[in-house]
Structure formats: structure tokens, C-alpha cells
Amino acid sequence: MKVTKFGGSSLANAFQIQKVCNIVLSDEDRKVMVVSAPGKRTKDDIKVTDLLIAVAKARLAGNSYEEELKKVIGRYEEIAEELDVKQVLPDIENRLTSIAAADYTDDVKYLDSVKAMGEDCCARLVAYYLNSTGHNAKYCNPEECGLYLKHDEAGKAVILDETYDNLAKLKDEKDVLLVFPGFYGVSKEKEIITFSRGGSDITGSILAAALNAEVYENWTDVDNVFAVNPNLVKNPFPITEITYDEMRELSYAGFSVLHEEAIYPVFKNGIPLNIRNTNNPSAKGTWIVSKRTHYDSLVTGIAGDKGFCTVTVSKYMMNRQVGFLAALLKIFSDEAISIDHIPSGIDTVTIVLRKKYFTPEKEAIIVDRIKNELGCKVSVDHDLAIVMIVGEAMANSVGIMARAASALSNAGINLRIVNQGASEISMMFGVSESYCSYAVRVLYKELFRY
Ligand code: ASP
């Protein structure tokens, strides 16, 4: 069986919803569909989730929220009228109205419960529509199905292990198409918890893993994932196949195809993930797999991301001091700062980290501790972008680093950090933030336009 997930642009209006239903019904192995909230109908439109966030924020600020709520209800009305299923509207309207007016003393819980309604109402509407057209479909309630989540220390929603066993029971539902709302689950106390934005991808991945699906189809609005951000390069090379490891490396450097946390459940269970286009279902899409069957090119993709900084620590004869690195890293871990890379010289170590976690307060504490406890010189630089060249086929092939470095040097881009692990799956370059997009373009031209 196949688990399908449809993003907001695939459900933005009645016409798109009809397309989605046709896609699901055209393959009887597609037994589960996970839906997002209706997205933008035009470039300047507002997603239902954003409208719901505005409702919750208005209420929390003590302002009137009715106007915003009307806009949300209006979106469902428009869809239901065009699909000729107006009978579903009183139920949707009641739910939205009562959730928006519910207790809001805990603002985080209130915001989560309002936000989740975009997906919830969409799933109810789609199931109703399928039934109205003579198909056997059923809305699945995440609470009743046991999709349990909790918050970790950082407030991030994490999946409780028992969720997988609970969802596996959906296998017993025979001859019915299951319509599951994405983006949220419940705590053991039955309170709604949402994932971070784009989290319906995670719901689909959990369901595919729990049901041991043959494939997790993630339907969006592009034919393929591209080898480079299409906003940077015209008609970039399409990726037909990529491994989970390659995808992970590219996502790290800013590739935003799927929610980052959506990869793990399917990866752990070896389930292939197929990215497809709702507006062009005949395109085969991009396959994310554990093991590649073919290579279209030596390099799979190139990505760049800004927002890094470096802490460079130097001390004469550092390399002779046993335990130095451990003591240095402990200072960062005491401050709960995670480290991304550690390029080093004989008497210097550079710690590369994400700026967003390295607040000015943390920076002051860490710099002081390194100076006082380790007796080192410290300098911090806040201007670093990471550019990654990723491709499993690069392993054992000679000369890619030379080509990449000389293309960057010919373009006048200074390389501040260079890193390649022994697995040879990726090469990393650290450049000034102002050069990030330019470096990606230069590398793409060199490595893809051979
Ligand atoms: N509707 C949510 C969002 O806009 C979740 C999703 O679409 O995956 O982020």
C-alpha cells in the first residue's frame, strides 16, 4: 500500500481538491491520504494556517478575532460550494468557532489547537466530498488513532514511540480510503500539539512507517527536486533519484524540499519517498531512497545557507595539551550550544555554529570562559555561509575539489573553510555571506554544465 500526502497548494481550491482525489482514486494501492490546510490560491493569497494564526494572535492580544475567523470560514465555504457539499459546512463552522472561542489561558496550547484546525477541517471536507461522489472514505481523528506527541525541552513536538503501534492498527481498515489531517497530534492528556510549519510532511512519514508502506508519496507543485535552488539558476538539472544521506546533507545547507524531520521515520524503515507533482501526475518525480539504482551525474546537488558564525580559539602548543578539545567542547555543551563543524590547525581550533543559537548573552559567557578557563585567545566572526556540493558518485573520482576550488578562485571568492569527510559524499566550503548565492551559481556552472 502507498501513503500519500498533499501539500497546501494541492488543496488550495475545489479544482485542486478534485485533482488530488482523482490522483488517489487512480491507484487502488493509495489507501491513506494525508492533507495539509488549504494553501495560497494565488501568489498574494494567504494560507489558511496563517489566517488561523492571525485569529489566535488577535484573541491572545485581547482584540476582536471575528473578522479573521470569517476569512477562514470563507475559504471552506468557497471550496464546499464549488464541490457541491455545503452540508459539511455547519460542522466545520461549529468546530472553528468553538475552538477559537475556547479557553486561552495557556497561550501555547491555545495557538496549537487553533492552528491545527486548518488540516482538521480540510480532512473532514475531503472525506465528505469523496463520500458524496460514491467513494468509501473516512476521516481519521489523530486523537482516536493515537498519534501521540510531546514537547521536548526546546518546545519541539516529538513523536512518542507507541504512536507507531497505534497507527499500525489502521491496517485493519479494509476497503476504505483513510483521510488523515497532517500537522498535529495530541499529548497523553489529549491536548493538541502541532509540529513546526510544514509539519504535515512528518505526519505522512510517520503513517508510512507505521503501516510499512511500499512508498511514501509526497505530492507538491513541482515535477522534481532540482540540483540547485531554481531561484538561483534557470532550468536547473532535475534530480530523479537521491539517497536519504545526500538529501540530509543538502537540507542541512538550505535545501527546503521537505520538512527536515520528515525524513527520519521513512529512512529508519527503509521506505522510499517519492516527490510528485499534483499538477503533472504523469511526471515520475524524485525518488529518495536508501540505495541508488543509477547516477545521472557525478554531483547530485549544490546548496548554500547563510547564518553561520565561527569561534576561533588559539593557544601556543595547543596540540600537545591532552584533553584540550574535550574541555573546549564542554564549555559549549554547558551552554546547550550545538556545534556544526570543527576545522582545526596545530595551534588553532575553529568552531562553526548556527548564529541563531549563539545569542549575544551566550557568546559573552562562552568567550569569557574560554579565555579564563583555558587561557586562549578567542575571536568571533559573524559572517559565514556554508556551501555544500553533495553526491555519492563523487567518492573515488579524482579532481572535483580542484575544479570547484579553481572555479571559486577564478570568480574571486575567498574560501574561508574547506572540509571533506572521508565518506566523500560531500564537500563543504565556508565563504562570506555576501558570496553565498554567487558561489552556488559558480559551482553549478562548473560542475553541471560540463
Ligand atoms: N499547514 C501547515 C503550514 O502551513 C502545515 C503544512 O502544511 O504542512 O505550515
Side-chain angles (χ1 to χ4, degrees), residues 5-13 16-17 20 35-41 47-49 75 119 122 200 219-221:
K5 179 259 162 181
F6 294 89
S9 62
S10 303
L11 298 147
N13 57 32
Q16 288 297 89
I17 291 181
V20 158
V35 297
S36 284
K40 293 182 179 190
R41 292 160 293 187
K47 293 177 174 187
V48 164
T49 307
R75 289 289 305 267
E119 284 42 32
C122 188
S200 301
W219 291 80
T220 173
D221 50 14

Side-chain angles (χ1 to χ4, degrees), residues 147-375:
L147 199 168
Y148 288 126
L149 305 176
K150 67 168 189 188
H151 286 295
D152 68 6
E153 310 77 53
K156 199 177 94 188
V158 289
I159 306 151
L160 297 189
D161 285 344
E162 67 196 86
T163 289
Y164 290 98
D165 291 336
N166 295 342
L167 296 179
K169 297 193 187 108
L170 290 172
K171 269 192 190 143
D172 301 336
E173 302 270 4
K174 304 264 186 256
D175 304 318
V176 58
L177 177 57
L178 303 176
V179 188
F180 210 102
F183 193 37
Y184 83 97
V186 294
S187 66
K188 291 307 283 269
E189 292 71 41
K190 312 280 185 220
E191 283 155 341
I192 286 181
I193 298 181
T194 55
F195 292 114
S196 53
R197 295 299 303 267
S200 301
D201 285 341
I202 312 174
T203 311
S205 183
I206 305 173
L207 276 158
L211 296 167
N212 197 17
E214 153 200 345
V215 53
Y216 169 30
E217 291 181 343
N218 191 294
W219 291 80
T220 173
D221 50 14
V222 285
D223 278 358
N224 289 94
V225 175
F226 296 103
V228 69
N229 181 345
N231 297 324
L232 296 180
V233 171
K234 242 192 184 162
N235 299 324
F237 205 75
I239 297 178
T240 56
E241 192 182 56
I242 182 170
T243 63
Y244 288 114
D245 292 343
E246 290 175 314
M247 193 61 166
R248 172 84 191 97
E249 302 257 350
L250 286 168
S251 313
Y252 168 78
F255 233 56
S256 60
V257 176
L258 281 173
H259 192 294
E260 225 192 330
E261 292 156 49
I263 304 263
Y264 189 64
V266 275
F267 159 76
K268 200 176 66 183
N269 292 277
I271 296 166
L273 197 161
N274 188 199
I275 300 198
R276 301 285 292 269
N277 188 356
T278 301
N279 305 317
N280 185 14
S282 59
K284 292 198 168 53
T286 297
W287 283 89
I288 309 177
V289 294
S290 306
K291 230 177 158 25
R292 297 274 295 255
T293 57
H294 65 280
Y295 293 99
D296 297 327
S297 53
L298 218 49
V299 173
T300 304
I302 301 173
D305 202 11
K306 296 180 187 170
F308 291 85
C309 62
T310 55
V311 180
T312 301
V313 178
S314 40
K315 187 178 187 185
Y316 188 62
M317 301 285 269
M318 179 193 278
N319 67 331
R320 297 281 179 85
Q321 196 177 328
V322 174
F324 178 83
L325 204 52
L328 175 64
L329 297 184
K330 182 167 183 307
I331 295 178
F332 284 87
S333 82
D334 286 349
E335 294 307 318
I337 296 280
S338 81
I339 290 169
D340 284 42
H341 307 274
I342 316 180
S344 63
I346 304 171
D347 286 341
T348 59
V349 177
T350 299
I351 308 282
V352 180
L353 18 92
R354 297 248 180 206
K355 267 194 259 190
K356 63 178 173 200
Y357 305 123
F358 201 50
T359 58
E361 300 75 45
K362 298 248 175 192
E363 178 177 330
I365 297 172
I366 288 176
V367 168
D368 261 14
R369 283 191 61 187
I370 299 174
K371 284 185 182 160
N372 298 335
E373 294 172 26
L374 304 177

